[in-house]
Amino acid sequence: MDTRNDSLPKCLPCFLTLIACFCMVSPALSLDCVDYRDYVRILADQRVDGLGTDVVLRDDIAYVCTNRSLKIMDVSDPEVPVELSEVGHTGSRMISLYGDLAYLSYSDDYQTSHSGFQIVDIEDPAAPVLLGSIETFPVILAASARIGDHLLISSTTGLRVYDVTDSSAPYLVTEFPSIDPFVDIETSGDIAYLAGEDLQVIDISAPTAPVWVATLPTTYDNTGMDIAGDLLLLVSRAYSGDSELLIYNLSTPSAPMVLGSLLMAGGPPVWINQDVRVKDDTAFVASYAGLRLIDIADPAGPALLGRMSLGSMQWPTGVDIQGDKLCLSAYDDTYNASTSQFTVVNVTEPGFVPVVGDDVDYTAEAMVLDGDVAYLAAQADGIVAMDILDPENPVVLSELGTIGQARDLALAQHYAYVVAGADGLHIVDVADPNNLITVGSLTFTGEAWTIALDYPVAYIGMESGELAAVDINDPASPALLDEINLAWDHNDIAIYGDHLYFATDYQYIEIVDISDPSALASAGAIGLSDLDSIDELLVVGEVLFAGFHWSYDDIFGSSVKAYDLSAPTSPVFLDAYSLDGPHVRDLEVDGSTLYILAAGVQVVDVTDVSDMRFSGMLTESPRAMAMAEDRLVMVGSNGSTSESLLSAPLHCTGVTGIEEPGLESPAYARLSAYPNPFNPKTSIRFEQATTGPAHLAVFGLDGRLVRTLVSNELPAGGYERQWDGLDDRGHPQSSGVYLVHFRGTGVTAREKLVLLR
């Protein structure tokens, strides 16, 4: 949505000056900017084959269990995880490590299929070797721990003990039906703690003859544990959907005593495990609600610090920490899903960017700011004016609920222009925010959905695909100048010079010539993948940012793509920033920082628009946001069931604006193709300056990923790859211009390719 005042400047420097000099009065309580990179933030999201069930992190290698196999990932560069190898049976469940050996339990399903465990030599993570295995039928095995020459492992018939002296020939020593099945096991000296329906304490001083010591009843089914010093942390799940963290004192290991507990709303479904790991005074709980951070400095009074969502339908199942890196495996509950998310998180400072605010009684679709006043398009409550002078205590000044279902709004002069579905356009005098007055209105053939101003003309996007131009020179008598039917369901609009960009639900961004508002004319379109729906648009200088979402079978997510508007009717794709989550709901820019409202708020460095980089995130999930002089203002959910008006400090950068986009490759990033034009194939040569991750891919001019040619770590040197004109599915591509994009360690390059059929 376009929330800027009056007509927009056509050049980037002017626009950045407008941002810097936005007509606002500094609030009494200012929020100093912070470096978002200093807080908990996602470093990498990567799809892996299979649904995640567990993860162990050691020496910069992550061992990720999925229902397909064990994936072994190199996370030495946490922003670019590299899959080194895979091994193991389908239905991998949990993993434990002992020296250079991995013990991997598996079960094809939860009922009657094959199950067992495998012993894998992981001395070389890139070349794991299966040493031995035990298969049982129909017993299901899960958590395990090696004690000396014996492996203790859970099954549906209780605790089993295997002799693993010879890894190639493990064998069952004994089993103990009297010990209930468990889903996790932790050991401390000669004591083992088993998490199942209750917490069981077992003496394992003689591993082949474990002795039951105690059973500690718990309210819920237990799913994960961790031991930190004299503390044992236990997480559990309830059929109601809640979960609980219990903290035990292990000063006397055989007699744990409860010190404190924390009930957490919104736990996982009963079939999804959750887990916990401790770093210093913080517990990290992986659960249905995402990644929770809990302060345990006072074990008797644990306190929730915040929550980070991994995106729609991504349910963390395993967590592990090494130094400042945290890794998460996840279960993807999308229908028919066959892949899931592996996430690397920075936990250098265990906390989130501070956010202040208070609950409000309004559900807003959009928001604009004017000095210390926020105006909300608050659905059935119409337009609401709120004083945000004190970010911690927003105050309602007035509301005007007689204008219908307010969906979007924009400000110009001292008027708010509000679109309200079937009730059309309402023009509201906001000279006195304590007394909002409707001065004019206009209805249309369709339901008014979005608005952008190029004063004295307002452009109204209709839900059913029409675009109207309205003369608002006289606020009391708005007049329809023209209306054009673009024939697509509509989501957002944005203006650049004499052209308007019209986001649709199906595959296209329509381009409209608005040089004569009384004679609107189609001027082309940005064609996209047949999976894409466009949610949000924002123009900054000569750059169009477009937020997308898509879904196909188990493939779903969202992204923001950047286009160069130097040629307004032929935008050129620059880069795409991927999000593994739901729709993009809003976009805002402050200098060289792009704020993306999707699953939380992603904060992205766009200094070089052709190489957008993640900077940090906010965990809140609002419905709309707007940029103030010293803060980001958000309205929507605060992570609970209530609606809130929140303020967050901006991300500190030393850069004042977005660089002008250019299509020339940097001199130090060499990339060439020969022959070019070509048919049927071309050789692409590139140079990797230093050893590190490399990514080489072919895109359409619309930003559609066509073919990935390289996506792994490469030593320094020159390389050559061929593109045969096919996409990743083996489908021939039509004649036309394509972009080959290379991203190495600290360098990027781009080259045009011309395919002639």
Side-chain angles (χ1 to χ4, degrees):
M1 70 200 63
D2 194 323
T3 60
R4 290 161 285 175
N5 291 352
D6 303 309
S7 61
L8 294 179
K10 309 298 190 259
C11 64
L12 179 60
C14 296
F15 179 70
L16 296 174
T17 301
L18 178 63
I19 292 178
C21 302
F22 202 76
C23 53
M24 299 183 67
V25 179
S26 297
L29 181 55
S30 177
L31 297 181
D32 294 333
C33 71
V34 300
D35 190 337
Y36 278 49
R37 294 168 297 185
D38 291 340
Y39 295 85
V40 169
R41 61 190 178 98
I42 293 175
L43 297 174
D45 276 333
Q46 185 163 315
R47 304 295 292 190
V48 295
D49 185 35
L51 306 180
T53 56
D54 193 19
V55 62
V56 172
L57 179 61
R58 189 175 75 181
D59 298 332
D60 283 332
I61 302 296
Y63 300 86
V64 186
C65 286
T66 78
N67 65 345
R68 298 288 179 88
S69 62
L70 173 69
K71 314 293 183 183
I72 302 180
M73 313 282 294
D74 183 344
V75 293
S76 54
D77 180 352
E79 296 187 7
V80 188
V82 176
E83 184 174 324
L84 298 176
S85 59
E86 67 175 327
V87 69
H89 201 285
T90 57
S92 295
R93 295 282 300 280
M94 299 188 77
I95 182 173
S96 61
L97 304 184
Y98 186 87
D100 290 331
L101 298 176
Y103 295 88
L104 178 65
S105 65
Y106 67 87
S107 173
D108 283 349
D109 61 34
Y110 291 92
Q111 300 297 324
T112 59
S113 294
H114 298 284
S115 60
F117 71 85
Q118 296 177 310
I119 304 175
V120 181
D121 184 337
I122 54 171
E123 181 178 8
D124 180 2
V129 179
L130 179 62
L131 299 177
S133 64
I134 286 285
E135 183 168 291
T136 61
F137 183 83
V139 178
I140 299 170
L141 305 174
S144 65
R146 178 166 170 172
I147 310 297
D149 293 330
H150 296 88
L151 186 74
L152 279 63
I153 193 163
S154 175
S155 75
T156 53
T157 58
L159 174 66
R160 288 188 164 197
V161 180
Y162 288 85
D163 188 309
V164 291
T165 307
D166 181 356
S167 296
S168 65
Y171 61 89
L172 179 66
V173 176
T174 186
E175 62 181 316
F176 297 89
S178 60
I179 297 177
D180 292 336
F182 52 91
V183 296
D184 199 5
I185 180 171
E186 291 287 342
T187 61
S188 177
D190 291 334
I191 299 295
Y193 304 94
L194 314 181
E197 290 186 4
D198 295 304
L199 178 63
Q200 299 175 85
V201 183
I202 309 296
D203 185 331
I204 54 172
S205 53
T208 59
V211 177
W212 173 87
V213 175
T215 297
L216 306 179
T218 57
T219 304
Y220 306 133
D221 288 346
N222 305 303
T223 64
M225 293 184 293
D226 194 23
I227 291 177
D230 288 336
L231 298 179
L232 181 144
L233 284 81
L234 174 69
V235 289
S236 61
R237 61 190 177 194
Y239 283 87
S240 65
D242 294 334
S243 56
E244 185 176 32
L245 174 69
L246 291 169
I247 302 177
Y248 292 86
N249 184 339
L250 298 184
S251 297
T252 304
S254 61
M257 299 291 293
V258 175
L259 288 176
S261 64
L262 179 67
L263 185 64
M264 300 171 287
V270 294
W271 61 90
I272 300 296
N273 278 350
Q274 51 187 353
D275 205 357
V276 59
R277 289 293 181 270
V278 176
K279 178 177 185 270
D280 301 326
D281 291 330
T282 304
F284 297 83
V285 177
S287 74
Y288 168 74
L291 179 67
R292 285 185 170 105
L293 273 63
I294 299 171
D295 184 347
I296 59 169
D298 177 9
L304 183 66
L305 296 173
R307 177 182 66 87
M308 181 178 72
S309 171
L310 294 190
S312 175
M313 310 307 286
Q314 296 298 311
W315 298 344
T317 54
V319 58
D320 206 4
I321 297 175
Q322 177 192 36
D324 295 333
K325 296 173 190 171
L326 178 146
C327 291
L328 290 163
S329 61
Y331 180 92
D332 187 329
D333 197 46
T334 308
Y335 173 72
N336 205 28
S338 62
T339 64
S340 58
Q341 190 169 314
F342 169 68
T343 305
V344 184
V345 180
N346 172 61
V347 291
T348 304
E349 294 293 334
F352 296 109
V353 175
V355 174
V356 298
D358 202 356
D359 292 346
V360 296
D361 293 329
Y362 304 100
T363 300
E365 292 291 338
M367 173 174 57
V368 295
L369 305 180
D370 184 17
D372 298 326
V373 179
Y375 294 94
L376 314 181
Q379 298 184 359
D381 292 309
I383 180 174
V384 179
M386 300 195 70
D387 185 339
I388 58 170
L389 182 68
D390 180 353
E392 297 183 9
N393 298 291
V395 177
V396 176
L397 298 175
S398 60
E399 66 177 74
L400 185 62
T402 59
I403 61 175
Q405 290 278 342
R407 295 200 52 85
D408 197 8
L409 75 168
L411 294 179
Q413 310 300 326
H414 57 273
Y415 295 98
Y417 298 83
V418 187
V419 290
D423 292 297
L425 170 68
H426 289 261
I427 303 176
V428 179
D429 187 334
V430 295
D432 179 3
N434 294 287
N435 184 27
L436 305 178
I437 302 172
T438 300
V439 296
S441 63
L442 184 67
T443 57
F444 307 95
T445 55
E447 292 194 12
W449 214 247
T450 62
I451 183 169
L453 299 184
D454 190 9
Y455 195 81
V457 178
Y459 294 91
I460 315 297
M462 312 294 172
E463 181 190 18
S464 51
E466 299 86 4
L467 174 70
V470 178
D471 184 344
I472 55 173
N473 195 51
D474 179 2
S477 301
L480 181 65
L481 297 174
D482 194 19
E483 185 173 307
I484 183 173
N485 189 343
L486 298 173
W488 298 99
D489 288 349
H490 165 65
N491 290 324
D492 201 13
I493 51 180
I495 296 171
Y496 174 69
D498 290 333
H499 293 86
L500 179 143
Y501 300 87
F502 187 94
T504 74
D505 239 357
Y506 304 103
Q507 310 169 31
Y508 292 97
I509 298 176
E510 298 280 356
I511 305 173
V512 181
D513 185 332
I514 58 171
S515 55
D516 180 359
S518 62
L520 302 176
S522 178
I526 305 175
L528 306 165
S529 161
D530 58 2
L531 306 180
D532 284 333
S533 295
I534 305 94
D535 300 318
E536 288 289 326
L537 300 176
L538 176 66
V539 171
V540 183
E542 292 186 344
V543 177
L544 171 68
F545 293 103
F548 298 79
H549 76 271
W550 68 90
S551 62
Y552 180 76
D553 289 341
D554 65 308
I555 305 171
F556 75 101
S558 55
S559 69
V560 173
K561 297 179 182 179
Y563 296 88
D564 178 5
L565 297 181
S566 299
T569 59
S570 302
V572 176
F573 170 73
L574 295 172
D575 195 18
Y577 180 83
S578 296
L579 305 153
D580 199 282
H583 302 223
V584 176
R585 296 193 61 90
D586 208 349
L587 299 168
E588 291 288 345
V589 165
D590 174 61
S592 61
T593 302
L594 173 68
Y595 297 82
I596 305 169
L597 200 172
V601 179
Q602 303 280 320
V603 182
V604 180
D605 182 351
V606 291
T607 304
D608 177 1
V609 189
S610 65
D611 187 19
M612 296 188 282
R613 297 293 181 98
F614 179 81
S615 293
M617 65 183 299
L618 294 166
T619 60
E620 282 67 29
S621 298
R623 297 179 64 88
M625 58 185 181
M627 192 66 58
E629 183 178 14
D630 66 333
R631 53 191 150 133
L632 182 71
V633 182
M634 303 169 287
V635 61
S637 171
N638 63 0
S640 64
T641 57
S642 61
E643 298 287 319
S644 300
L645 190 70
L646 306 170
S647 291
L650 300 178
H651 174 52
C652 295
T653 67
V655 183
T656 57
I658 297 173
E659 292 180 357
E660 291 283 0
L663 296 179
E664 297 299 322
S665 300
Y668 52 81
R670 298 176 184 175
L671 180 68
S672 63
Y674 183 84
N676 191 19
F678 71 96
N679 182 18
K681 60 185 178 182
T682 184
S683 294
I684 301 167
R685 298 175 181 175
F686 61 97
E687 183 173 311
Q688 174 80 324
T690 60
T691 298
H695 188 81
L696 182 73
V698 178
F699 293 87
L701 289 180
D702 58 2
R704 173 177 54 93
L705 175 63
V706 176
R707 182 78 171 270
T708 299
L709 301 174
V710 176
S711 184
N712 55 270
E713 185 167 304
L714 292 177
Y719 296 87
E720 183 175 310
R721 295 291 187 272
Q722 287 191 337
W723 183 43
D724 54 8
L726 305 180
D727 66 10
D728 281 326
R729 297 182 179 181
H731 300 152
Q733 299 302 289
S734 60
S735 297
V737 179
Y738 297 83
L739 290 176
V740 58
H741 187 281
F742 170 67
R743 179 179 295 171
T745 305
V747 298
T748 61
R750 186 184 296 104
E751 184 72 24
K752 289 184 179 180
L753 304 175
V754 179
L755 172 60
L756 299 177
R757 292 291 189 187

